[in-house]
Each structure stands twice: as C-alpha cells, then as structure tokens.
C-alpha cells in the first residue's frame, strides 16, 4: 500500500467521524490533538508505528511507558508513532455499524495501514481487547494469516515475561525495557522495507536483536498428560534463550520532558518522573521485584531537572515520583525535600506513593497538603509474622502499630491496609490475623482519641494470590475459587461486630482467569479467540467480565483451566516461559521457594548480595558496591 | 487586574467539555507564567471563570474567559503568551482589561448568537428550513417540551419570546439565531431546532445540524445589546 492510499484511507475515516463521532459517549477519547502530540507528514517516506493500548483512553494515557515509547520513536525523524486505544463499547458498536476501521488518534489512519503495531501487555485480562482491536483495525488476528501488506504485530510489557498465551497472535515479542532496542527495531524495519524481502526474512533479521522473540520459529510438543515435552526450533539459528533487555544507565535513558497532556481527565493526570527501576526487597510473590532487577537509580539532579521541565511544559498541578518502592531510593530525604521546595514555589502539589512508614515519611505527609483526606495506606500483605516471613515481606507488627499510632495522633481518621489471601503456607491463624490487625487499629485509635472511634474508618482489602512466572512461587497451585470464597467469608465473620472496619475482597473468578493466563501456554490462544468470538472484552472491568462465556470458551476448545491455575508443578517440569531469561536464575527461585516453606527470610540485597544471578548478565550496582567493599578489606 | 479574554473553539475541540476547558485554561495560564489571584477562604481557588458553558459538540467564535491576575500585563502580551501556550484548535480572539465592569461576565450574559448549518441536507430540505422559519416567525406561540433538570419533569414552554431574531441564510442551508442565554432566561439551540422542525413536513427536516456560537451579549440600561468583548 503506498502513501497515497493510506492518506485516502485516513480521509475516509475522517469523513465518517465528522458525522458519527458526536454519537459517542465521550468523543474526546478519539480526537487526539492534545498538547505535544507528534505531527509528521504522512505524505513523506515514514515508518508508521501505532502504539496500541488495549484499554480505554483514560487508562492508557496514564501509562508512563506510553509516554516514553512515544518520545523514543518520534525522536527518530522518519518514524511516526501514533496512538490507539480500545474504543468504548458504545463507540465500537457505531464503528462496526458504520464500517469505520480502528484508527490512530493522530492522523486517523486505519491500523491496517501501519508498518508495525505495538501492543503493551500490562495485564493478563486485556488480551481479549487486543484481539478485538486487531479485528477492528482489519488486521488478521493470527500471525500465520498475515501477508506482506499487513503490519507486523509486536507485543511488549510486563506480561510478556510469559508470552506464550499470545504466541499465535504476535509476529514478535519484545521482552524487557525497550528504550534502546526500539531504534534498532526501526533500523531493521527500515532496511527490510527498502529491500522488499519476505515477512519471514524480516523476522529472521529481527530475531537477532537481543530481547526479541519470534514465536513462529518454535514449536511446542506436549506429553499426553498436558505438560510440555519439549520446545523444538523450526529454524536452527533461532536463539534458544531470549534474554530480556534493560537500560543500564537511567540517567542517560530518554525520558519525556514534554509529555502529551490529555484534554479529558485520566486516571493519573499529572507530571510523573520515574526515580528508579527494580527492587531489592525480594518479596517472593512479586513478579515486578524479580523481572525488573537489578536496581538502577536515576540521579537526584536528573530527577529534579526532569520534574521541573515537565511541570513547566505541561502546567500540571501535581507531581508524582514513581518506582516500585519510593522509600528505598538512596537519597530519598534530600530528593523529597528539594522537590517539595520547588513544588511549593511553583504551586504544585506532590504525591508520593509507596513511602516507608518511618518518621521522615510522616513529616513529609504532614507537609503535603491534602494528604489526610486520602488516608494512610500500607500493605502488610499477610496477617501474621509467620506468613510474612514466608513471603519475605519485611514489615513487622510493631512497625504497623507504631505507624498507625503516629497517624492517629497526627489526626488521621482513615487507614487502608492491603493483604493477600491464598498465599502458600497460609493457615486459619493468618486469616484471623488479617481481622486482628483491623481490630487492633480500632483499639489504637481509641487509645489516641480518648476511647472514641466514631470517626475512624479502617479498610482491609484482600486480593487473591495469583502465582506469577519468574517468582519463587511459580510452581505453586492457586487456591480454588471455593477456597477463596470460604476464606473471604471467614475473615468477614471475624469482623462482624466492628462497624469501623470494612473488608473488601477481589472477585475470585477474575483472579482465577488471571492465574490461568499468567502461567498459560500456547494452547490458550484458541481459548482466547473463542472467548472473543463469544463476546468477551474489557474483562478487567468487573461490569463487563463474563465468566460464563469464558467457561464456555474453555469447554468449546477442550482446554482445562484448572490445569494452569490449580496445579502444583514439579521442579523438572518444563514451564512455558522457561526460555525467557530475566536474569534471575531458576536456582535462586527454587532456593527462595524452599526457604519460604521453611519460614526463612532473605534480606534486602542492598545489605548483601543474595546471589540471584542477575549480576552475571547485567551490571548490578548493589553487587558491585559490595565487591568494592570487599576489595577494600583485602587490601 | 481583571481581563475578559474572548476565545474560539474549532471542530477539533468541540468535544472538550466545559470542565475540561477550565482545567485546560488553568494549565495554559500556568505554562504561560500568568499568575492568577486566588479567592480568600477555606479552600482558595484561582479567580478564573468561563462566562457561559458551551454544550458538547458545538463550536464557537465567541467564548469568554474571565481572569484576575496577580500582576498587571499588557492585554496584547497576555493574548500572545496565552495563545502560545494553547493547543491547536483554541484561538484567542481578543483580550481586554475590565475596569468599569464590576459584575462577573457570566452574570451579564443575556443573549447568544448562533449559526446553525445543515451540512448533509438536500435542496428539498433547505426548502423545509425556509418554510419552517417563516411559519415560526408568524406563529404567536411555539410550544415545546423541555426537561426540567432539577425536578426531572417535562414542562411545556413557549420559545417564541425567547427567540429575539431568526433569519435564513444561503437558501436554507444555514440559520442565524439570537436567543436568550444565561441565568435569567435561557433557550438552547437544540430546543429552538425542535420548535422549528415541528413546522416542517414530517420526515423532511434535515437531521444533522452543526451549531456554532458566534457571540454573547448583555443588555444595556437602554435596552440595547452589547457584545461582551466591548465591555471595559
Ligand atoms: S545480584 Fe545480588 S545484589 Fe544484585 S540484585 Fe541479585 S541478589 Fe541483589
């Protein structure tokens, strides 16, 4: 398809939008044109890339990854990266009725005109939306049906650390952080377009880029009982292992100073600066804590410069600093103090997610206006010390209590605590422990407030444990839905006479499907397509989630979901994601799992390397510091 | 210093709601480094308002933003720096200092001028528009149903006295209307169209209308109308 045809296709979309867009619930989701939108001339020779977020505009536009990739790609002069989101159900109906293909916000070009379409896979339950978006964009859903005219579909994001459930859909996956790899991928695409080779040739070339995984180069064989027997390469030069990519020096990594500023309110409508990547705490249930290793910090000066540049460019009224655990930043005190100084002058408020519960945090929170309204939140994750040791969550009863006491004496009236149920090794006492912590909050509040607790609101929120790939618990069965439900009721019963304490829990059905897809294999593709055919989409939105249709899809395709969610795996089993190398070694994961079951904790590796293995592939600052210290001693 | 800023909203921006426009201007003023005065009291908010909310899906050439800045700025400089800080699709038409006008602009609005186009209409439908407009002019009363938001009841209202002027342009492809707008009496162009269409032959009324607000007016003590941009 030449440029002229693409421009005509876009004009056709535009004409239809002029008539029908006004019928949409929120037309501004589809208009684009926001401040700092990239503008390029589609008449020129461009590589056309659509960054596709498989959820609504308001969700997708809050994603920092989108802003980073948008900048990285559009900084390349001959690359035009545009955006596309999942249309709301109301507008999808209009699009289908009026035969409007799914289009990019910037130039209103149909997706089938792109050279490459890149999905970000952030959440297991967004898979149906990806399939639906491909259909709406008139791109064959299965990679094997795509021809030379069709775009390449690349999928990245945290969920691709187990890419297999989407193996038949993606032409290629990208595993890890893409800032440095995207220009390489674009180079590859550019030369392939010039030379006019086959799709296969492009895929062969691109598979040489570190972090790229081309699923069609492999075949998976199964044992009669359903376990994977082996992975066979269909092209002998395809890599056996796919090693994730990371950016080693965050200070030099590209970061948006002029992010797109949406017109309509989004979930996180504010300036955002990422202060570090990775986490050294080693919570055993946490996938992010494993796959994003090693810890890499952005320098304080760079963070400040980025924050100031963003605020100046956007006029945002709020700044947020992001990381997996804000309080662990090595220079958190001076950073926060200096940022607060700047924000005060600039009349900007600040939000600091995931601070530690120490006295410094309280001082900061006191200073940040409006904090009290939102209430104090923290995540003990489990109800007893024993279980917290098992999951390696480093927070003690005393810490919880002293934080609550401080908060109450500073005038806080509401407190939110996050837990998980269904963790490995969990007993009745652990469930009671969750309720006990809630009750203890009431007691402490009374102590501070002269016996009264009328204004107190305690919220206990329990999610259902979903075992994730690349964690020490990746072999372990998830609780059944019945077990979850029973546990929820058990905790609820404990709290009957405490009207200040509210207990919330997640839907077990959603958690069950998350677990199926988190550890699924290629056979789930068929289920996914069937679910979409039956009408599943926006599964992450409780009101749209159709569990009955999903179960129907499993039945129609003859796939047993329990096989994925509720089954303990042996160490020898070949796991679907075993060829993805995130740097953390499997031996570390088994060791951590065994320690967990013995109730033994593993310290934060800033206090000493725990041998996760990531330093063998990437430079790990914590490990290197330790090495230097040891050299000192030897000398 | 208080200013009246007249601005326009093109087709690209027609779906940005009143609330979103408020936020957009607040951010744009911040980008342009134009400091606003804040109200006193428990929760201070910047002194900034939009004179008369515009419905979603309308374009406009006559919107008004009223601001009070913490420092004095030359109106043309204000216009320039604000324009530079705005996304495409919003134009600053003019900017004037308000000295004599003490009331809030929003409280002064009495009338609005609209241009209503029928881009998809066929010539036979233009004719219907002409006929309906003529019948409307002649009619003593034009009763339409209006949904009372507060009580959620439907009332019959006579929109004839709320319609100051109505004229047909371009053989019926376009209407121009001057209608009551604001907190005292209000008629929406949508309701006006409903009233008009009741005079057309069944099924012949052009469906799609594009509505553009042209100007807002206040009534002077002598009964004459004055466009808001002429206030000082
Ligand atoms: S290599 Fe050692 S210090 Fe580095 S992340 Fe792994 S355990 Fe921590």
């Amino acid at each position: 398809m030449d440029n002229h045809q693409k421009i005509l296709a876009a004009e056709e979309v535009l004409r239809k939008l002029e008539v029908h867009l006004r019928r949409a619930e929120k037309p501004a989701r589809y208009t684009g044109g926001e401040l700092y939108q990239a503008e390029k001339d589609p008449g020129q020779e461009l590589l056309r890339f659509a960054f596709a977020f498989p959820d609504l505009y308001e969700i997708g536009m809050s994603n920092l990854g989108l802003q980073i990739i948008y900048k990285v790609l559009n900084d390349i002069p001959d690359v035009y990266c545009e955006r596309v989101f999942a249309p709301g159900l109301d507008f999808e109906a209009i699009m289908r009725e009026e035969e409007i293909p799914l289009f990019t916000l910037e130039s209103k070009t149909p997706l089938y005109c792109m050279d490459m379409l890149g999905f970000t896979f952030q959440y297991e339950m967004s898979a149906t939306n990806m399939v639906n978006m491909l259909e709406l964009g008139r791109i064959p859903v299965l990679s094997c049906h795509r021809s030379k005219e069709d775009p390449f579909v690349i999928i990245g994001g945290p969920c691709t650390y187990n890419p297999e459930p989407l193996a038949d859909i993606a032409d290629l996956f990208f595993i890890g952080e893409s800032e440095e790899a995207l220009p390489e991928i674009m180079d590859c695409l550019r030369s392939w377009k010039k030379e006019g080779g086959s799709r296969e040739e492009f895929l062969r070339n691109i598979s040489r880029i570190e972090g790229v995984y081309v699923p069609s180069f492999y075949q998976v064989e199964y044992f009669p009982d359903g376990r994977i027997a082996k992975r066979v390469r269909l092209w002998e030069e395809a890599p056996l292992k796919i090693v994730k990519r990371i950016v080693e020096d965050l200070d030099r990594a590209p970061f948006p100073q002029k992010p797109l500023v949406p017109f309509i309110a989004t979930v996180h409508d504010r300036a955002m600066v990422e202060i570090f990547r990775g986490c050294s705490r080693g919570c055993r249930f946490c996938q992010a804590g494993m796959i994003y290793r090693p810890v890499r910090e952005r320098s304080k000066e760079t963070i400040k410069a980025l924050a100031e540049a963003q605020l100046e460019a956007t006029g945002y009224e709020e700044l947020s600093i992001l990381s997996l655990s804000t309080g662990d930043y090595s220079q958190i005190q001076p950073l926060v103090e200096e940022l607060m100084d700047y924000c005060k002058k600039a009349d900007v408020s600040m939000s600091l997610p995931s601070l530690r519960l120490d006295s410094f945090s309280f001082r900061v929170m006191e200073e940040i206006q409006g904090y009290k309204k939102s209430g104090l939140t923290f995540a003990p994750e489990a109800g007893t010390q024993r279980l917290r040791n098992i999951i390696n969550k480093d927070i003690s009863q005393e810490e919880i209590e002293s934080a609550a006491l401080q908060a109450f004496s500073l005038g806080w009236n509401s407190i939110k605590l996050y837990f998980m149920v269904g963790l490995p090794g969990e007993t009745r006492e652990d469930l009671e422990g969750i309720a006990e912590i809630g009750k203890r909050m009431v007691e402490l509040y009374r102590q501070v407030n002269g016996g009264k607790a009328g204004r107190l609101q305690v919220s206990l929120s329990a999610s259902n444990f979903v075992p994730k790939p690349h964690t020490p618990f990746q072999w372990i069965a998830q609780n059944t839905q019945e077990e979850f439900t029973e546990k929820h009721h058990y905790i609820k019963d404990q709290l009957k006479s405490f009207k200040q304490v509210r207990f919330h829990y997640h839907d077990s059905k959603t958690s069950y499907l998350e677990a199926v897809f988190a550890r699924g294999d290629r056979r789930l593709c068929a289920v996914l397509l069937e679910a979409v055919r039956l009408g599943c989409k926006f599964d992450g939105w409780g009101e749209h989630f159709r569990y009955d249709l999903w179960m129907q899809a499993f039945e129609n395709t003859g796939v047993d979901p329990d096989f994925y969610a509720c089954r303990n795996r042996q160490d020898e089993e070949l796991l679907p994601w075993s060829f993805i190398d995130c740097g953390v070694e499997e031996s570390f994961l088994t060791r951590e799992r065994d320690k967990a079951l013995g109730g033994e904790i593993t310290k934060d590796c800033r206090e000493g390397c725990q041998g996760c293995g990531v330093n063998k592939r990437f430079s790990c600052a914590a490990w290197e510091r330790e090495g230097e210290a040891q050299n000192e001693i030897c000398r | 210093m208080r200013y009246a800023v007249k601005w326009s909203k093109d087709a690209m921006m027609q779906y940005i709601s009143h609330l979103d426009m408020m936020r957009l201007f607040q951010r744009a003023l911040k980008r342009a480094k134009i400091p606003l005065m804040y109200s006193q009291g428990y929760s201070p908010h910047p002194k900034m308002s939009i004179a008369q909310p515009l419905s979603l899906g309308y374009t406009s050439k006559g919107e008004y933003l009223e601001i009070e800045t913490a420092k004095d700025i030359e109106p043309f400089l204000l216009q320039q720096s604000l324009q530079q800080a705005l996304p495409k699709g919003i134009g600053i038409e003019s900017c004037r200092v308000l000295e004599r006008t003490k009331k809030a602009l929003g409280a002064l609005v009495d009338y609005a001028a609209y241009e209503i186009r029928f881009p998809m209409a066929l010539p036979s439908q233009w004719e219907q528009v002409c006929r309906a407009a003529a019948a409307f002019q002649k009619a003593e009363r034009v009763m339409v149903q209006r949904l009372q938001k507060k009580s959620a009841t439907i009332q019959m209202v006579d929109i004839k006295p709320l319609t100051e002027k109505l004229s047909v342009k371009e053989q019926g492809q376009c209407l121009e209307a001057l209608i009551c707008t604001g907190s005292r009496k209000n008629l929406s162009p949508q309701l006006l169209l409903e009233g008009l269409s009741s005079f057309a032959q069944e099924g012949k009324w052009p469906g799609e209308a594009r509505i553009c607000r042209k100007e807002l007016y206040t009534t002077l003590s002598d009964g004459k109308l004055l466009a808001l941009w002429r206030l000082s």
Side-chain angles (χ1 to χ4, degrees), chain A residues 185-377:
Chain A
I185 292 174
M186 290 301 116
D187 287 344
C188 195
L189 185 62
R190 186 183 300 111
S191 10
W192 173 80
K193 254 183 105 172
K194 267 203 198 104
E195 284 151 22
S198 66
R199 277 181 92 82
E200 172 89 6
E201 274 169 300
F202 172 76
L203 293 174
R204 285 187 183 195
N205 292 341
I206 198 110
S207 73
R208 297 201 170 88
I209 295 178
E210 193 106 316
V212 168
Y213 166 50
V214 177
S216 56
F217 290 158
Y218 310 81
Q219 200 171 39
V220 182
E221 292 171 9
Y222 302 92
F223 290 123
D225 66 4
R227 288 174 304 132
I228 294 175
K230 59 178 174 196
R231 281 175 64 85
V232 185
R233 279 186 292 182
L234 301 176
W235 173 47
E236 67 280 9
E237 282 173 52
L240 282 171
K241 284 245 164 195
I242 307 294
V243 185
K244 75 164 179 195
R245 283 288 282 273
I246 66 163
V247 173
E248 294 210 320
D249 183 356
L250 267 200
D251 260 352
R252 298 236 294 269
F255 196 84
Q257 309 198 9
K258 292 184 168 182
L260 290 145
V261 183
F263 292 127
I264 58 176
T266 57
V267 181
H268 301 298
D269 197 9
R270 55 192 174 212
M272 295 188 258
V273 182
E274 185 190 26
I275 60 172
F276 68 92
R277 285 187 191 166
C279 176
S280 52
R281 302 195 153 253
C283 298
R284 292 175 180 133
F285 56 86
C286 178
Q287 190 189 38
M290 299 293 157
I291 61 176
Y292 295 135
R293 286 183 180 213
V295 169
R296 289 145 293 149
E297 293 195 344
R298 188 166 261 137
S299 72
K300 190 180 82 189
E301 298 317 312
T302 311
I303 295 170
K304 276 168 54 190
L306 288 171
E308 290 174 23
Q310 266 197 24
L311 289 168
E312 291 236 338
T314 60
Y316 271 130
E317 43 293 288
E318 189 180 345
L319 168 71
S320 179
I321 54 177
L322 301 184
S323 66
L324 288 171
S325 157
T326 313
D328 288 342
Y329 183 68
S330 60
Q331 299 198 64
I332 188 66
Q333 291 217 16
L335 174 70
V336 168
E337 276 157 11
E338 287 164 37
L339 283 177
M340 272 191 335
D341 260 4
Y342 175 81
C343 286
K344 238 180 246 160
K345 276 183 218 131
D347 190 22
V348 168
S349 66
M350 233 180 117
S351 63
L352 295 167
S354 57
L355 269 182
R356 304 230 60 203
L357 299 167
D358 51 19
S359 52
F360 167 69
S361 313
F362 277 100
R363 228 177 48 236
V364 170
M365 286 190 272
E366 275 279 283
E367 272 200 46
I368 299 175
Q369 67 176 99
Y371 227 97
K372 277 186 202 168
K373 278 182 235 146
S374 58
L376 188 68
T377 55

Side-chain angles (χ1 to χ4, degrees), chain B residues 42-230:
Chain B
Y42 184 67
S43 65
H45 49 90
K47 291 198 170 176
M48 181 188 103
S49 60
I50 290 174
Q52 179 69 31
L54 184 72
S55 297
L56 214 63
Y58 292 11
T59 57
S60 179
K61 291 202 155 58
E63 292 305 288
Y64 288 88
L65 178 77
E66 179 183 344
I67 54 173
E68 192 170 338
T69 60
K71 62 172 191 208
D72 296 355
I73 310 165
E74 278 301 320
F76 79 93
L77 276 180
L78 178 69
Q79 172 169 1
Q80 229 176 28
S81 46
L82 186 53
Q83 181 69 72
Q84 268 166 20
L86 285 166
K88 270 202 303 196
I90 297 179
I92 303 294
E93 307 290 310
S94 71
C95 187
R96 273 178 88 142
V97 177
L98 292 174
E99 269 168 332
R100 282 185 293 151
T101 313
K102 293 286 175 261
K103 272 197 186 170
L105 288 186
L108 290 168
V109 176
D110 291 311
Y111 290 94
Y114 288 94
E115 182 189 88
I116 303 166
R117 294 198 155 269
F118 305 100
M120 255 73 74
L122 306 167
S124 66
Q125 291 174 310
W126 307 351
E127 204 182 300
Q128 290 295 318
V129 174
C130 297
R131 279 221 244 144
F136 185 96
Q137 307 279 28
K138 270 196 217 114
E140 227 158 82
R141 293 195 302 171
V142 181
M143 304 301 292
V144 289
Q145 291 187 343
R146 170 148 73 182
L147 181 74
Q148 206 66 30
K149 268 205 190 122
K150 266 192 204 129
S151 57
T153 53
I154 292 172
Q155 286 181 343
M156 294 302 288
V157 280
D158 180 9
I159 63 168
K160 190 75 204 283
L162 302 177
T163 311
E164 183 70 19
K165 257 191 218 158
L166 180 71
S167 51
V168 179
K169 294 276 141 88
E170 300 168 38
Q171 299 100 42
Q173 298 178 66
C174 173
L175 285 169
E176 280 179 4
L178 183 66
I179 55 184
C180 284
T181 300
S183 49
R184 285 171 286 275
K185 290 180 194 162
N186 193 63
L187 172 61
S188 75
Q190 213 55 57
L191 216 56
L192 172 68
L193 285 178
E194 256 171 57
L196 273 166
S197 63
S198 65
F199 293 103
Q201 238 175 304
E202 189 124 337
K204 290 277 178 67
W205 185 255
E208 290 283 331
R210 295 282 177 275
I211 301 172
C212 175
R213 186 142 83 190
K214 299 295 236 190
E215 189 55 87
L216 293 176
Y217 297 91
T218 187
T219 323
L220 298 175
S221 47
D222 60 3
K224 281 199 184 117
L225 297 192
L226 187 75
L228 290 196
W229 65 270
R230 306 185 68 159

Side-chain angles (χ1 to χ4, degrees), chain A residues 111-128:
Chain A
L111 296 189
Y112 62 80
C113 299
M114 297 290 125
D115 294 308
M116 194 178 264
L117 179 71
F119 278 109
T120 176
F121 194 18
Q122 305 265 331
Y123 175 41
E124 291 89 1
M125 302 305 282
S126 64
T128 47

Side-chain angles (χ1 to χ4, degrees), chain A residues 18-19 21-22 27-28 31-33 35-36 39 261-265 269 312-317 346-348, chain B residues 12-16 20-21 23-24 26-28 30-31 33 38 56-58 85-88 120 208-210:
Chain A
E18 267 167 33
V19 183
L21 193 53
R22 56 188 60 237
T31 52
L35 192 68
Y36 304 128
E39 307 286 352
V261 183
F263 292 127
I264 58 176
D269 197 9
E312 291 236 338
T314 60
Y316 271 130
E317 43 293 288
D347 190 22
V348 168
Chain B
M12 266 281 288
M13 300 293 298
Q14 63 183 315
Y15 300 117
I16 312 304
D20 292 332
M21 282 308 304
R23 194 176 40 232
L24 190 150
Q26 206 164 330
R27 288 176 184 166
K30 216 163 185 175
R31 292 194 286 270
K33 300 206 164 55
Y38 274 76
L56 214 63
Y58 292 11
L86 285 166
K88 270 202 303 196
M120 255 73 74
E208 290 283 331
R210 295 282 177 275

Side-chain angles (χ1 to χ4, degrees), chain A residues 280 293-295 588 605-606 608-615 620 622-623 626:
Chain A
S280 52
R293 286 183 180 213
V295 169
F588 175 74
C605 64
R606 282 176 304 176
C609 176
Q610 299 293 343
C612 76
V614 83
N615 55 325
C620 173
W623 179 75
E626 197 176 318

